[in-house]
Amino acid sequence: MVLDAGNALFKPGVLNDSASRERAELILRTMGELNTAGMAVGHLDLNAGPEFLKKMAARSNVPLLSANLVDARGKLWFSPSRQLSVAGARVALIGISPLEEGVGFASKPPVQAALAEARKLRGRADVVLVLAAVPYADALQLAKDAGGAVDLILQSHEARGAGLAQHYGESFLVPTGDRGRQLGRLQLELVGQGPWVDAAAAEHDRQLLNLLDVQIAEARKRLDSARPEAKDAVARTLRSFETRRDSLAKQAMASRPNNERTLKLDYLTLGAEYADDPALKAKVAALEPQGAGP
Amino acid sequence: MRASKLVALAIALLPGLANSGPKKLTLLFTGDNRGEIGPCG
């Protein structure tokens, strides 16, 4: 499933010239060709206004989501959410936009809008994911307030780049990259409806347990060959390693219940090792010749 | 957005998704592309 957390279409500071609109259309068409399942409407997607954006997205077949962007009468401009089934899992996608006003639109508080939508969908979804085109502080507030209603928050607004999945409450907050330099990848494994576990943290625990096993084995050898006056000190060291190992093993077991949901996050940096799509490269060259280089 | 690379990579990754077992899913995502379509930085 391909997703975009928003702020995809216009460059910062550029308003609404025809070249910018053509570039935005190319990006949206490309997202449509990739079968993008959902995109949040961010600040940098609204340069040409919500009406233009809505028409362009319909032509490109890209589902735009915003649970809080409204017109002058208070009616939502876009769908707040969508639900789909992927590999047997029921996924609910919710979009939110930043708190701002512009020509033909305004937004309601995004955190409250996301929470209201998430609580409606929670019982019908294995994964509730918010595409959060809002400042980091708002995404963080959402994670802290969600109380189990939201599983994953993909955030964009300040171009924070790639990073770790941050665990707050029962949600994970995930940065989404910047300027198309990388493609984020989240691999999810749903055994049940238990707590989320970051596979990277679990792997770290496993490596630490292995290291402690090696240290314990070495300490036992030293104890066997130690002089009588040194045996007490070596025995204390051995006990400290064994205590740490037992404690870590218990903690690791507690965080890996048998109904867990696991996530593994990485980013694929789009460098020379990945080939270009020739047809799209030609379209980019026609629109922006300096941008079609190697 | 390194759009042409993104498309080629996403297409290469997506066929593998069909082979994933039940309740295993892969999400590919971008954000803050900021109107980029050519190589940058």
Side-chain angles (χ1 to χ4, degrees), chain A residues 82-252:
Chain A
R82 70 179 298 218
Q83 298 174 78
L84 51 167
S85 179
V86 183
R90 301 168 303 163
V91 180
L93 302 176
I94 299 166
I96 48 174
S97 307
L99 196 57
E100 64 179 7
E101 286 182 24
V103 177
F105 71 91
S107 51
K108 294 182 173 177
V111 173
Q112 290 89 326
L115 284 174
E117 195 68 16
R119 286 170 184 148
K120 275 195 286 185
L121 299 171
R122 173 74 279 178
R124 288 178 264 153
D126 300 308
V127 179
V128 176
L129 186 150
V130 177
L131 298 166
V134 299
Y136 176 71
D138 288 337
L140 194 57
Q141 192 65 48
L142 174 60
K144 288 177 175 172
D145 292 351
V150 173
D151 299 309
L152 303 167
I153 302 167
L154 305 188
Q155 186 261 342
S156 86
H157 188 71
E158 303 96 337
R160 292 168 59 84
L164 300 172
Q166 297 173 287
H167 199 183
Y168 292 103
E170 295 170 54
S171 308
F172 273 91
L173 177 53
V174 179
T176 52
D178 67 315
R179 294 197 290 158
R181 291 178 174 187
Q182 56 283 105
L183 181 64
R185 178 168 57 182
L186 265 172
Q187 295 176 77
L188 309 181
E189 186 170 342
L190 314 177
V191 177
Q193 287 290 328
W196 286 95
V197 174
D198 184 346
E203 173 63 15
H204 178 263
D205 285 350
R206 193 187 64 75
Q207 288 177 0
L208 196 52
L209 280 171
N210 287 345
L211 179 64
L212 284 166
D213 283 340
V214 170
Q215 289 173 324
I216 287 167
E218 286 175 356
R220 282 179 180 150
K221 277 187 200 166
R222 284 206 309 276
L223 185 61
D224 288 343
S225 59
R227 294 190 307 275
E229 64 273 23
K231 278 194 184 290
D232 279 354
V234 177
R236 278 197 300 275
T237 302
L238 175 58
R239 278 198 299 276
S240 78
F241 285 149
E242 288 171 339
T243 303
R244 274 188 71 193
R245 195 204 182 287
D246 290 348
S247 169
L248 184 65
K250 278 181 194 159
Q251 179 189 314

Side-chain angles (χ1 to χ4, degrees), chain A residues 4 179 184 186 188 270 276 291, chain B residues 2 4 25 27 29-30 32 39:
Chain A
D4 189 277
R179 294 197 290 158
L186 265 172
L188 309 181
L270 300 177
D276 289 291
Chain B
R2 296 180 178 188
S4 55
L25 57 155
L27 314 181
F29 62 89
T30 47
D32 275 316

Side-chain angles (χ1 to χ4, degrees), chain A residues 1 86-88, chain B residues 11-26:
Chain A
M1 183 163 62
V86 183
Chain B
I11 288 169
L13 291 171
L14 282 172
L17 306 184
N19 296 326
S20 298
K23 305 280 186 177
K24 285 185 182 179
L25 57 155
T26 300

Side-chain angles (χ1 to χ4, degrees), chain A residues 244-264:
Chain A
R244 274 188 71 193
R245 195 204 182 287
D246 290 348
S247 169
L248 184 65
K250 278 181 194 159
Q251 179 189 314
M253 286 296 287
S255 66
R256 302 294 303 264
N258 58 13
N259 63 344
E260 69 186 16
R261 294 176 289 173
T262 306
L263 66 90
K264 183 179 177 191

